[in-house]
């Protein structure tokens, strides 16, 4: 199973970006999908999570500004980021847990990361 994150870029503070994370491979189902981020010189931190049924959870630092969603038919997860701040600058990673077509569990499968830079 492979994950491909995309959608990062340079944006001014207060702006918006939408990240995507597409999973591919021998996938039967995906359970939980998560976004993480790692700012320069800092540890990777969890940002948001979404279950297969659409239940969501957010880190306090992004609550009210970021929205996580997914399209199960496309095995794709999104992160709508609004009211971006300079401190949101980081490489954003996605991961997923699920089952393969042979009903083996997989995860965490990680994407390669996409860079978000917020200028103040």
């Amino acid at each position: 199973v492979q994950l491909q994150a995309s959608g990062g870029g340079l944006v001014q503070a207060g702006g918006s970006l939408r990240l995507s994370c597409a999973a591919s491979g021998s996938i039967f189902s995906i359970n939980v999908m998560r976004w993480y981020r790692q700012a320069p010189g800092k540890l990777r931190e969890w940002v948001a999570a979404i279950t297969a049924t659409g239940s969501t959870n957010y880190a306090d630092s992004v609550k009210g500004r970021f929205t996580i969603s997914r399209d199960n038919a496309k095995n794709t997860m999104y992160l709508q980021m609004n009211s971006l701040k300079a401190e949101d600058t980081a490489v954003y990673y996605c991961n997923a847990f699920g089952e393969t077509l042979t009903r083996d569990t997989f995860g965490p499968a990680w994407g390669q990361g996409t860079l978000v830079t917020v200028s103040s």
Side-chain angles (χ1 to χ4, degrees), residues 26-29 99-106:
S26 179
I27 299 170
F28 175 74
S29 65
E99 286 187 38
T100 66
L101 291 175
T102 56
R103 303 302 177 96
D104 295 316
T105 58
F106 70 85

Side-chain angles (χ1 to χ4, degrees), residues 54-113:
S55 295
T56 59
N57 211 353
Y58 299 91
D60 288 343
S61 59
V62 306
K63 201 171 293 184
R65 300 187 298 122
F66 291 9
T67 302
I68 190 172
S69 62
R70 61 190 282 176
D71 184 333
N72 290 333
K74 296 181 179 180
N75 288 331
T76 300
M77 170 178 66
Y78 306 96
L79 187 67
Q80 178 66 42
M81 306 186 295
N82 298 329
S83 302
L84 282 162
K85 306 175 181 179
E87 51 263 43
D88 294 318
T89 294
V91 177
Y92 284 71
Y93 299 91
C94 56
N95 80 6
F97 292 79
E99 286 187 38
T100 66
L101 291 175
T102 56
R103 303 302 177 96
D104 295 316
T105 58
F106 70 85
W110 287 93
Q112 84 291 357

